[in-house]
Amino acid sequence: MDFGLSPRASELQDRMRSFMEQHVYPAESVYDRQLAAAADPHALPPVMTELKEKARAEGLWNLFLAHGDWGAGLTNLDYAPLAELAGRSLIGPEVFNCSAPDTGNMELLALYGTPEQQDRWLRPLLTAEIRSCFAMTEPEVASSDARNIRTRITRDGDSYVVNGRKWYTSGIMDPDCRLIILMGKTDPDAPAYRQQSMVLIPRDTPGVTVLRDLPMFGYTDRLGHGDVLFEDVRVPAANILGGEGEGFALAQGRLGPGRMHYAMRAVGFAERALQLMCERATARIAFGGPLADQGVVREWIARSRIEIEQLRLLVLKSAWLMDTAGNAAARTEVAAIKVAALEIAHKVVDRAVQTHGAAGVSDDTVLARLYAITRALRIADGPDEVHLRTIARRELAPYRDSGTKAGAA
């Protein structure tokens, strides 16, 4: 395995690190103040517009998209450390137009969209003129199993009609959201994984009603997590993405790179938390000396460094496998990084919270928000248990196929 970066990726890494230090970290408190002062908690703070303009002018833009015709054309391995750097700030990914859910939606449109769909939706997403959301999870069923989805997409002449209810539709509260990519069932009688389809729904289509904005551990996210009702929502038949019955395959097609992005951003979360923990430990005095002199705090710091390095190597291996052997060959590793990344990031953040004491659970640092995010992301994009099930099934398969027993000659 070769985890070396290309010269271009190394140069981008240096430039992004400098940009984060000069522009992004200093803007975090400005962003928070502007958001708190806004009449709409989902409005884009002006400082984010300024940061986006600067990032785009410096060529630090759409780096996540591997497709050369649309994005930067980086490999997964080359993009991984850039995702980590952006992930060190909660506002970082959006600055570089590399934030979810737009990243996954842009990948879907780049891979499976028709030229007309790409012109209408992908191009303005790539320039950040609009935002988008993804509607899959439903409140009435365990949506981690796509077979459970109840929302219906029914063909009616030259149209599709959508009826159902989705929740935690992330991004729909953003005033700039113009596109909903929805996953529902077009044929409940088809084979289990041919029942689902994806359809493109303009945000202002009649029948789309946001019932409420859902908080996450009490936090109101700027992009919002909508509880959304779709009642006789009618869109042209040309708005189907990929084709009827392709929804599950499309979802699987975007998972490898998307989970690598999640995992490397989680490495960034953990690195930021470890930095804050070390700063606090050296500056805070208790029982006659700095916290850094306490054995338990030193152990937290040491274990955090070990775990972050292990995680980074696992994610880089996954990225390398996707680049060299394809997403299917990296399926076990991709499932593993989704579990390991948020588990480790949450553990490191928890130690940093403990090191900060009361300050750690306040909004005076980013730690409380990181704590909520790292915990919530162990459910989002497939809960840990689904990925553990995938890994165990693949690990057991050779033994079941051969009928051999451990230790047998």
Side-chain angles (χ1 to χ4, degrees), residues 384-401:
D384 287 358
E385 291 73 20
V386 171
H387 303 297
L388 292 168
R389 177 175 177 266
T390 296
I391 296 166
R393 188 170 54 200
R394 292 174 65 84
E395 196 72 17
L396 288 166
Y399 299 90
R400 286 176 171 164
D401 292 343

Side-chain angles (χ1 to χ4, degrees), residues 32-363:
D32 289 341
R33 287 197 302 271
Q34 291 179 349
L35 193 58
D40 181 355
H42 305 293
L44 184 69
V47 70
M48 178 57 74
T49 301
E50 298 169 9
L51 290 169
K52 286 183 174 183
E53 291 173 354
K54 290 177 182 177
R56 190 174 181 187
E58 294 195 19
L60 300 172
W61 194 253
N62 294 331
L63 300 173
F64 74 96
L65 198 53
H67 311 288
D69 292 341
W70 297 108
L74 297 173
T75 64
N76 288 297
L77 187 61
D78 278 344
Y79 178 64
L82 305 180
E84 177 186 335
L85 280 172
R88 288 176 64 95
S89 171
L90 290 178
I91 67 173
E94 186 176 3
V95 169
F96 306 108
N97 208 37
C98 294
S99 60
D102 287 340
T103 47
N105 290 344
M106 285 189 271
E107 285 174 336
L108 282 173
L109 289 164
L111 286 169
Y112 309 111
T114 65
E116 292 77 15
Q117 291 169 348
Q118 291 170 343
D119 282 339
R120 182 173 181 185
W121 302 115
L122 179 56
R123 292 184 187 279
L125 282 168
L126 287 168
T127 55
E129 296 172 47
I130 66 172
R131 297 297 304 263
S132 64
C133 64
F134 188 74
M136 178 175 173
T137 305
E138 299 181 3
E140 302 300 330
V141 296
S143 303
S144 55
D145 183 351
R147 297 171 299 180
N148 288 339
I149 289 175
R150 294 180 181 175
T151 296
R152 288 298 308 276
I153 305 171
T154 307
R155 184 68 181 257
D156 183 20
D158 293 333
S159 302
Y160 283 104
V161 179
V162 180
N163 282 281
R165 184 180 170 192
K166 301 288 187 178
W167 75 341
Y168 281 95
T169 302
S170 301
I172 199 167
M173 305 302 295
D174 190 321
D176 292 326
C177 180
R178 298 290 183 272
L179 172 66
I180 304 167
I181 300 184
L182 177 140
M183 187 159 168
K185 283 190 177 180
T186 44
D187 185 0
D189 298 321
Y193 296 107
R194 293 287 303 173
Q195 299 177 5
Q196 306 84 7
S197 301
M198 291 189 189
V199 66
L200 308 176
I201 303 175
R203 170 66 179 85
D204 59 359
T205 304
V208 177
T209 304
V210 177
L211 302 175
R212 55 179 174 151
D213 179 29
L214 296 158
M216 187 175 66
F217 284 104
Y219 285 102
T220 297
D221 189 78
R222 192 192 74 76
L223 297 179
H225 304 287
D227 184 350
V228 190
L229 187 63
F230 296 84
E231 296 178 293
D232 295 326
V233 176
R234 184 176 294 270
V235 297
N239 283 27
I240 200 78
L241 185 62
E244 284 195 20
E246 298 292 329
F248 186 82
L250 266 59
Q252 293 298 306
R254 61 171 277 196
L255 289 181
R259 285 179 180 150
M260 188 276 289
H261 300 169
Y262 264 122
M264 286 308 282
R265 285 196 292 266
V267 175
F269 293 162
E271 285 285 8
R272 183 73 179 274
L274 179 56
Q275 175 190 343
L276 292 172
M277 181 168 26
C278 290
E279 290 172 354
R280 181 74 168 191
T282 53
R284 198 70 165 180
I285 304 300
F287 303 105
L291 290 177
D293 288 349
Q294 300 295 328
V296 66
V297 176
R298 290 189 175 192
E299 181 177 347
W300 290 344
I301 291 169
R303 289 192 181 280
S304 296
R305 171 50 61 203
I306 292 168
E307 290 159 357
I308 290 171
E309 296 301 326
Q310 290 172 328
L311 172 60
R312 183 184 288 111
L313 286 172
L314 180 58
V315 182
L316 291 178
K317 179 190 176 185
S318 302
W320 175 83
L321 272 175
M322 285 189 285
D323 290 336
T324 58
N327 291 359
R331 189 174 177 188
T332 296
E333 286 77 9
V334 167
I337 62 175
K338 176 58 171 65
V339 176
L342 279 311
E343 189 174 85
I344 288 172
H346 189 68
K347 190 184 297 184
V348 175
V349 171
D350 184 64
R351 292 170 182 148
V353 168
Q354 195 73 8
T355 305
H356 280 73
V361 298
S362 75
D363 285 337

